[in-house]
Amino acid sequence: MGKLRQATLILGEGPTEFFFFKSLCDVFKRLTIKPDYPKHTNLKDLEAKIAEGVAMGYNHIFCIIDMDTKNEEPERSQYQKLLAKYAKPINKPKKGIFCEVEFFETHRCTELFFLYYFHYKARPYDTQEALLKDLNRCVEYHKTIEFFVKCRGLHSYFERNGGSLDAAITNADRSMQEKQSTGREYSYSELGRLMRLLRNL
């Protein structure tokens, strides 16, 4: 495939990110956003998807990373290797390829950003279940493909139920500022930065 015009590939590690970013296509209308995810949620498969996206001519590949699985080996080392591999843009002018690969982390997982649609939380979540419990206090949410399909777009579902993407961005930015000032390694999301990037592309 030849060079795409300002085309962005968003890769998550699973169906949650796929369905969420698919639901944002209405918000970022000018962009070609293709959400995708590996069949198996591991970094090896994610790396294969990145390589596929580069070969297809995407000029931005944004990877959504859940940090709750990156605290232990071998995942931690594999992830550091992946970050190092794509630290610089891929530039192959003869093949018409120029691609920037960026990683956006959330701890514990993407559902924290969903919670940020409703309000800010800085407490540590020892389990994903505890985070989902807090999210369910704001809006009914189930981490299943059936639910993602039934709610007809996660983004609009959250907004219909009193959430706001702008609030989520503000709260995510706040979490990153606090992470930097306090050095905490939990309850933070870089997805606010990603949303601003998508708006400016």
Side-chain angles (χ1 to χ4, degrees), residues 47 75-87:
E47 189 172 358
E75 287 265 323
R76 194 197 331 236
S77 297
Q78 287 170 357
Y79 180 52
Q80 291 306 321
K81 241 187 248 178
L82 203 55
L83 287 177
K85 182 175 180 178
Y86 292 107

Side-chain angles (χ1 to χ4, degrees), residues 9 34 65-66 73 103 106 113 118 141 146 173 175:
L9 176 64
K34 181 180 184 286
I65 302 294
D66 286 348
E73 298 298 348
F103 297 82
T106 299
F113 188 71
F118 301 93
Y141 177 85
E146 291 74 24
D173 289 346
S175 76

Side-chain angles (χ1 to χ4, degrees), residues 21-142:
F21 281 95
K22 199 171 164 52
S23 77
L24 285 172
C25 286
D26 289 347
V27 179
F28 303 110
K29 286 190 176 97
R30 290 176 299 109
L31 285 176
T32 306
I33 299 180
K34 181 180 184 286
D36 203 350
Y37 68 98
K39 294 225 177 345
H40 307 287
T41 54
N42 64 48
L43 289 170
K44 205 174 166 186
D45 287 323
L46 183 65
E47 189 172 358
K49 280 279 183 193
I50 294 170
E52 195 180 289
V54 170
M56 287 172 76
Y58 284 95
N59 54 358
H60 297 285
I61 298 177
F62 298 141
C63 302
I64 314 306
I65 302 294
D66 286 348
M67 291 306 286
D68 59 353
T69 57
K70 309 296 178 291
N71 293 332
E72 291 170 21
E73 298 298 348
E75 287 265 323
R76 194 197 331 236
S77 297
Q78 287 170 357
Y79 180 52
Q80 291 306 321
K81 241 187 248 178
L82 203 55
L83 287 177
K85 182 175 180 178
Y86 292 107
K88 290 180 182 169
I90 297 145
N91 192 4
K92 297 178 180 176
K94 285 181 182 172
K95 291 185 178 176
I97 288 172
F98 181 85
C99 181
E100 291 180 283
V101 180
E102 285 191 69
F103 297 82
F104 297 85
E105 302 173 355
T106 299
H107 189 282
R108 296 195 64 88
C109 52
T110 302
E111 277 78 9
L112 181 71
F113 188 71
F114 299 167
L115 180 61
Y116 285 166
Y117 265 74
F118 301 93
H119 60 86
Y120 185 71
K121 284 276 188 185
R123 76 177 188 87
Y125 288 100
D126 296 327
T127 63
Q128 201 175 104
E129 287 67 32
L131 171 55
L132 295 180
K133 199 173 176 182
D134 268 0
L135 179 56
N136 270 282
R137 287 193 179 104
C138 305
V139 65
E140 186 187 349
Y141 177 85
H142 306 283

